[in-house]
Amino acid sequence: MKSTIVTLKNRTYADKPNEDNYFCDDANGLYIIMDGVTRDRENGKYPVPSPAAIVTKIFIESAYKFYVANKSLYPIEVILSGMMAFGNSKIAEFNSKKQWDNDFFPGTVGIILAFCNPLKIMYAYIGDCYGAVINQKIIPFTRCQTEKIAKHKKNYSSIEIRNEICNNILHPYSYGVLNGSIKALSFVEYGEKVLLKNDKVILCTDGFSDIFTKLDIHALNTLYPSQLEKYSKSPDDKTLIMISGDNND
């Protein structure tokens, strides 16, 4: 496989770092894209170093460590589940060492994707990152878990959203965040997809998701990730991974 990547810091705050992160292993066909959950300001300043960026890095490093240790022992669907659980447990270890205001634990969301062979992918995701297959049309394979709460967020305080709705599978507007809570794992969704020979796969954080409504198939099939950035108007952090077979060049 062959991947190309672009990642860009948000345009809103000079002091807020890029809390997206990613990992690409073309040799093994393994890809991870993550988006750290934005933190509150402290006395008017954004916390630096960013706890969200830290747990995002912890998750990626821990998930890949689990993959390397177990890839020859179990089927990939078991590996994906284990990567999610192990990465989340390492976030729990980090969060247990500090006192967080209003129990707003640093967290992250994202996608892990693995190629079983050049024409089959398996994946696991949580949150609002975006995954799609691109051929003659856009075929999403993820759904935005925060869509319902986004429509109703004015009815709740931030404390209620973070502590009563996030990771609460019983709430009608619930969504998942990997913040160390075992409840987060109930929100991880799994799937697989068979590809056609010249398909591309795109993974991106929500800062890039608007390009799928603004660009046509020809643009998504021909533009490089670095060229796609100018079409995204979101001021948020944004990261995009484009994956194709070497024979697509």
Side-chain angles (χ1 to χ4, degrees):
M1 308 313 300
K2 180 180 179 181
S3 59
T4 50
I5 306 101
V6 62
T7 185
L8 299 154
K9 177 189 174 302
N10 71 90
R11 300 192 302 266
T12 306
Y13 303 108
D15 62 341
K16 182 180 182 295
N18 188 347
E19 293 167 328
D20 287 355
N21 209 331
Y22 66 90
F23 175 84
C24 297
D25 180 351
D26 288 337
N28 287 298
L30 180 72
Y31 305 89
I32 306 173
I33 191 164
M34 305 299 296
D35 183 354
V37 177
T38 299
R39 305 295 299 168
D40 291 332
R41 289 183 168 271
E42 301 171 359
N43 299 317
K45 296 181 179 180
Y46 200 81
V48 178
S50 162
I54 291 173
V55 298
T56 297
K57 183 179 180 181
I58 287 172
F59 178 85
I60 289 177
E61 291 178 348
S62 302
Y64 185 62
K65 181 178 180 180
F66 184 92
Y67 171 81
V68 170
N70 293 280
K71 66 178 181 178
S72 62
L73 303 176
Y74 302 102
I76 190 61
E77 57 267 30
V78 176
I79 299 297
L80 290 174
S81 176
M83 290 172 73
M84 283 288 187
F86 188 68
N88 190 54
S89 72
K90 292 302 179 180
I91 292 176
E93 289 181 12
F94 172 79
N95 284 340
S96 69
K97 297 174 184 177
K98 295 190 177 183
Q99 195 74 29
W100 302 105
D101 291 342
N102 299 317
D103 293 329
F104 179 29
F105 298 109
T108 188
V109 298
I111 307 169
I112 303 174
L113 181 143
F115 278 80
C116 304
N117 60 56
L119 294 179
K120 182 179 179 181
I121 57 173
M122 299 193 74
Y123 53 86
Y125 72 91
I126 184 172
D128 57 2
C129 289
Y130 192 95
V133 174
I134 308 297
N135 45 46
Q136 298 305 310
K137 56 183 178 179
I138 302 169
I139 308 172
F141 55 82
T142 60
R143 67 175 187 90
C144 178
Q145 294 184 347
T146 58
E147 187 174 357
K148 290 182 179 179
I149 188 57
K151 294 178 179 178
H152 299 277
K153 64 181 180 181
K154 292 183 179 179
N155 300 326
Y156 301 93
S157 68
S158 59
I159 293 177
E160 288 174 318
I161 292 173
R162 294 164 178 172
N163 297 336
E164 298 176 21
I165 298 176
C166 177
N167 290 338
N168 178 5
I169 199 71
L170 299 178
H171 198 283
Y173 308 142
S174 60
Y175 62 98
V177 171
L178 295 165
N179 60 7
S181 170
I182 193 70
K183 296 178 180 178
L185 300 180
S186 297
F187 289 86
V188 180
E189 300 187 40
Y190 300 89
E192 61 183 65
K193 196 166 251 336
V194 175
L195 308 178
L196 300 176
K197 182 178 180 181
N198 293 314
D199 286 357
K200 292 183 178 179
V201 177
I202 289 180
L203 307 176
C204 68
T205 55
D206 62 335
F208 252 127
S209 61
D210 59 347
I211 65 170
F212 295 97
T213 58
K214 294 177 179 178
L215 296 177
D216 59 22
I217 285 298
H218 176 74
L220 291 172
N221 268 318
T222 57
L223 296 177
Y224 286 98
S226 58
Q227 296 171 308
L228 293 172
E229 186 272 332
K230 66 181 180 181
Y231 297 99
S232 173
K233 303 305 179 184
S234 171
D236 197 5
D237 298 335
K238 55 188 68 177
T239 301
L240 185 145
I241 304 172
M242 183 178 289
I243 312 158
S244 61
D246 285 332
N247 62 341
N248 291 347
D249 292 343

